[in-house]
Amino acid sequence: MAQQADITAMRRAVELAARGLGATSPNPVVGCVITDASGHQVGEGFHRRAGGPHAEVHALREAGVLARGGTAYVTLEPCNHTGRTGPCAQALIEAGVGRVVYAVGDPNPQATGGADTLRAAGVEVARGLLEAEAEAVNIAWLTSVRRGRPFVRWKYGATLDGRIAAADGTSRWITSAESRADVHRLRAESDAVVVGSGTARTDDPHLAVRGVEGAVQPLRVVVDTEAGAVKPGARVLDDAAPTLIAIAEDAATPVGGADVVRLPRAGRGLSVPALLDALHTRGVRSVLLEGGPTLAGAFVAAGAVDQVVGYLAPVLLGAGPNALAGGGISTITDALRLDITETVRIGSDLRITATLKGA
């Protein structure tokens, strides 16, 4: 049974890890807390950006000589390899840390083995404290390693009867200002924001993060199969954030102002696995899918939605497009069943977060 002091320290490490969301890809988010030999906290840190010092290094620098004989609480198994920075397992050993408690084992075959290295040096090691909480904060990176593709969070805003717009196409604004601000937080935590050609034509979205201090702008991605939806002067072509336009292999060259990737067709659109592979190659580990019902349906049909975040407004329309179109579901036995992981009141709306059952 873990002591309350251990739980408190690890929970702080999880909070620290969350500060790196959206800024560390292709690396994970990691938090670290160090206590001295008597159990007092003497150092803390988190991984702030790819290529920079890892969480353990920041915490060890703050702790200094007080780390000797103390305990390090880390949300992810200390790495065991030399990349752009040195191995954290060795740094902990050299600092004289006597005990290491980590929450989640490192699934990356290039970095795993830190626990074994620590034990071989005589360091006491324990795994699994607050594992579920640490998994949740690092789910994007963990998914990318385990599945070889980015983590996909599908976000939509709808009325209580599931409509994302009225029958005449008007949709501004169904959800509250507070919900719209919360979406910018989701963008700030993501490496890429993806929309389809329908959204590009109808809304001319900007897709950059606003109102989040210190946010790293995500890659703006438009799935424009026929290369005709992004017009000259489109808001996604400004310099607020990088932009990638995904088009079919045989499509005409789109307007300038953005990078272009050509992908194979699938049905009436592009191959979702090919799109995710192209993004993964570019270092994208988390995707916020903001497209309309057709693109969402393509991702669902491809089995490429890991989490759903729905903002439900206390509004009824009775007609208009639904949040999801298609998805390859034709009978109730094929329905995707979800586990609700969180419900939160956002302004006048209800934000529901859910994952696929068994995921």
Side-chain angles (χ1 to χ4, degrees), residues 156-181:
Y156 69 93
T159 63
L160 284 184
D161 55 344
R163 310 293 180 172
I164 61 169
D168 65 356
T170 55
S171 62
R172 295 186 177 183
W173 294 103
I174 288 176
T175 56
S176 65
E178 292 86 350
S179 289
R180 298 194 296 275

Side-chain angles (χ1 to χ4, degrees), residues 80-98:
N80 198 43
H81 79 300
T82 299
R84 284 184 283 183
T85 61
C88 290
Q90 189 60 42
L92 291 166
I93 293 168
E94 292 174 357
V97 170

Side-chain angles (χ1 to χ4, degrees), residues 4-309:
Q4 185 57 49
D6 290 338
I7 294 173
T8 299
M10 184 62 81
R11 184 154 288 134
R12 174 58 179 167
V14 172
E15 293 172 355
L16 290 165
R19 294 186 182 182
L21 287 169
T24 65
S25 285
N27 293 352
V29 294
V30 183
C32 178
V33 166
I34 294 177
T35 59
D36 63 17
S38 61
H40 296 101
Q41 182 174 325
V42 293
E44 66 178 28
F46 66 97
H47 186 39
R48 300 178 182 180
R49 59 178 178 82
H54 290 187
E56 296 93 325
V57 173
H58 283 297
L60 287 170
R61 287 175 179 171
E62 187 174 291
V65 297
L66 297 177
R68 185 163 299 276
T71 298
Y73 300 87
V74 195
T75 56
L76 185 69
E77 179 183 2
C79 66
N80 198 43
H81 79 300
T82 299
R84 284 184 283 183
T85 61
C88 290
Q90 189 60 42
L92 291 166
I93 293 168
E94 292 174 357
V97 170
R99 176 172 171 249
V100 172
V101 180
Y102 69 94
V104 180
D106 194 332
N108 184 353
Q110 293 181 323
T112 191
D116 291 338
T117 296
L118 289 164
R119 289 191 185 96
V123 178
E124 180 186 346
V125 179
R127 171 183 173 170
L129 181 62
L130 299 190
E131 183 173 12
E133 294 181 27
E135 279 252 0
V137 78
N138 207 19
I139 191 61
W141 182 83
L142 290 168
T143 297
S144 73
V145 173
R146 292 166 179 165
R147 301 189 180 183
R149 64 157 176 81
F151 171 84
V152 177
R153 173 184 285 133
W154 170 39
K155 182 281 301 179
Y156 69 93
T159 63
L160 284 184
D161 55 344
R163 310 293 180 172
I164 61 169
D168 65 356
T170 55
S171 62
R172 295 186 177 183
W173 294 103
I174 288 176
T175 56
S176 65
E178 292 86 350
S179 289
R180 298 194 296 275
D182 196 58
V183 169
H184 283 278
R185 176 189 61 81
L186 294 183
R187 287 181 182 177
E189 294 180 359
S190 304
D191 299 330
V193 179
V194 179
V195 299
S197 57
T199 299
R201 288 192 185 93
T202 304
D203 297 339
D204 186 24
H206 191 226
L207 303 182
V209 177
R210 298 189 302 275
V212 180
E213 185 177 353
V216 176
Q217 291 292 345
L219 175 67
R220 301 178 292 188
V221 181
V222 180
V223 180
D224 188 8
T225 305
E226 306 301 338
V230 181
K231 304 294 185 182
R235 298 173 71 207
V236 294
L237 297 179
D238 68 11
D239 59 1
T243 299
L244 178 70
I245 302 177
I247 65 174
E249 293 172 321
D250 57 349
T253 302
V255 299
D259 289 337
V260 175
V261 59
R262 294 181 178 271
L263 300 173
R265 293 177 181 268
R268 298 174 61 185
L270 299 180
S271 166
V272 171
L275 172 63
L276 291 176
D277 184 61
L279 293 177
H280 195 265
T281 299
R282 285 169 165 77
V284 170
R285 298 296 179 261
S286 58
V287 165
L288 181 62
L289 179 61
E290 289 197 35
T294 300
L295 187 61
F299 271 73
V300 168
V305 172
D306 300 298
Q307 186 183 73
V308 180
V309 179

